[in-house]
Amino acid sequence: MATTTERMGFFTDTSVCIGCKACEVACKEWNAIPEDGLTFTGMSYDNTGGLGADTWRHVAFIEQRKPVGLQDAEVEHDAYEGLDVLGMASDASQGRDGLRWLMASDVCKHCTHSACLDVCPTGALFRTEFGTVVVQQDICNGCGYCVPACPYGVIDKREEDGRVWKCTMCYDRLGDGLQPACAKACPTDSIQYGPLDELRERAAERVEQLHEGGVTDARLYGADPDDGVGGNGAFFLLLDEPEVYGLPPDPVVTTRDLPSMWRHAGAAAATLIGGLTAIAVATGLRGRRR
């Protein structure tokens, strides 16, 4: 499906995420996603662990023995305007060896170059008019080709029915002019939804603001249209290296080499056919001579 001239997306500003998991709850409620265990892992206060067929939004809790730099965030988010979340965290961490929490709400990246679209044999995965990537469960045959194709490990198969599931960016809500459920429920505007170009501009300004405030580790992830997946429809402001959040540092669309592979396979087949033809002709000429 052709996209509109204005691609929509998510910008997740992890610097103002408070780990409330309201986005996880809203996502489950709106999309009628089954409960996924609520298991206490013993490794973290995070009880969902990661993205999966039954977890389309996942808030990671990351503990670090690292001090948080004081800064004047001046976050312009309605009732939270002027709230210095990072500064508060720094004050609270004093006397506990500089312990800080990194919290980040992860989601499907809705890549510009989506390997899952390339490998789906039934057309169950398609790109919407908003530029997002959606799975049509009534067409999915459960082949699972898209699962290893995703460079982020987002798509997952639901064992109960064998089909794959992931974030749709609330496609049904977007058609009615509504925000995705997770963005609507986020109390700090950590999850922001809107035209992708506008979000990228806003995110760049936010990074600059954090740098000026002393948070030099702040960086954007997935916002570069020239990266290995052509940029993401859902990108993030991180406060540490991507690996800390369980994200690949340099993702690449896994099907990028398919065209050249087919060309090489075609050339090899042509060479083989040519060789067999030459052998057949030579054999025939020998037979005639005899």
Side-chain angles (χ1 to χ4, degrees):
M1 184 179 294
T3 61
T4 61
T5 56
E6 197 169 45
R7 183 179 176 188
M8 308 301 284
F10 280 134
F11 164 45
T12 302
D13 182 352
T14 69
S15 71
V16 293
C17 178
I18 59 175
C20 66
K21 287 185 177 277
C23 55
E24 285 192 22
V25 175
C27 178
K28 279 186 174 291
E29 287 185 344
W30 181 263
N31 295 289
I33 303 173
E35 179 268 323
D36 52 353
L38 300 178
T39 304
F40 180 63
T41 64
M43 301 296 292
S44 168
Y45 287 108
D46 170 23
N47 60 359
T48 46
L51 294 174
D54 296 332
T55 304
W56 299 359
R57 265 280 180 187
H58 167 245
V59 180
F61 290 12
I62 303 162
E63 283 186 356
Q64 286 187 324
R65 292 289 179 182
K66 184 175 181 180
V68 181
L70 289 171
Q71 49 88 33
D72 183 12
E74 296 179 359
V75 184
E76 297 178 0
H77 295 323
D78 300 325
Y80 292 87
E81 183 174 359
L83 180 64
D84 185 0
V85 178
L86 296 181
M88 291 168 61
S90 178
D91 291 338
S93 69
Q94 301 305 314
R96 291 202 297 271
D97 299 325
L99 176 67
R100 76 168 180 175
W101 286 94
L102 294 181
M103 297 174 180
S105 181
D106 198 9
V107 71
C108 171
K109 313 307 181 289
H110 296 276
C111 309
T112 299
H113 304 309
S114 300
C116 57
L117 290 176
D118 294 336
V119 301
C120 181
T122 65
L125 279 147
F126 74 103
R127 192 174 297 279
T128 73
E129 65 270 30
F130 303 103
T132 59
V133 179
V134 173
V135 183
Q136 301 174 95
Q137 271 73 36
D138 57 338
I139 300 178
C140 178
N141 66 359
C143 68
Y145 293 163
C146 56
V147 175
C150 176
Y152 299 100
V154 167
I155 304 181
D156 188 30
K157 184 181 290 189
R158 189 172 291 171
E159 296 302 327
E160 291 76 8
D161 63 15
R163 296 173 294 175
V164 297
W165 303 77
K166 72 170 193 68
C167 163
T168 67
M169 209 177 281
C170 289
Y171 181 45
D172 52 345
R173 291 176 63 90
L174 304 191
D176 290 331
L178 301 174
Q179 293 186 63
C182 57
K184 182 69 175 178
C186 181
T188 63
D189 270 1
S190 173
I191 302 171
Q192 302 173 38
Y193 166 78
L196 192 57
D197 289 339
E198 292 182 13
L199 291 177
R200 285 172 175 167
E201 291 179 7
R202 189 184 309 167
E205 292 175 0
R206 176 64 176 150
V207 170
E208 184 178 352
Q209 184 184 56
L210 288 171
H211 285 175
E212 290 175 354
V215 187
T216 57
D217 286 340
R219 84 284 308 275
L220 294 180
Y221 179 84
D224 184 3
D226 296 323
D227 66 13
V229 295
N232 293 326
F235 65 98
F236 305 81
L237 186 155
L238 304 180
L239 297 178
D240 210 322
E241 298 291 338
E243 299 94 319
V244 172
Y245 297 84
L247 296 167
D250 191 18
V252 173
V253 58
T254 54
T255 54
R256 68 173 180 177
D257 296 325
L258 278 181
S260 62
M261 290 171 61
W262 283 116
R263 285 195 298 271
H264 291 149
T271 302
L272 178 60
I273 293 173
L276 292 174
T277 301
I279 292 172
V281 170
T283 303
L285 290 175
R286 287 175 190 159
R288 290 178 185 176
R289 290 172 183 170
R290 292 176 182 174

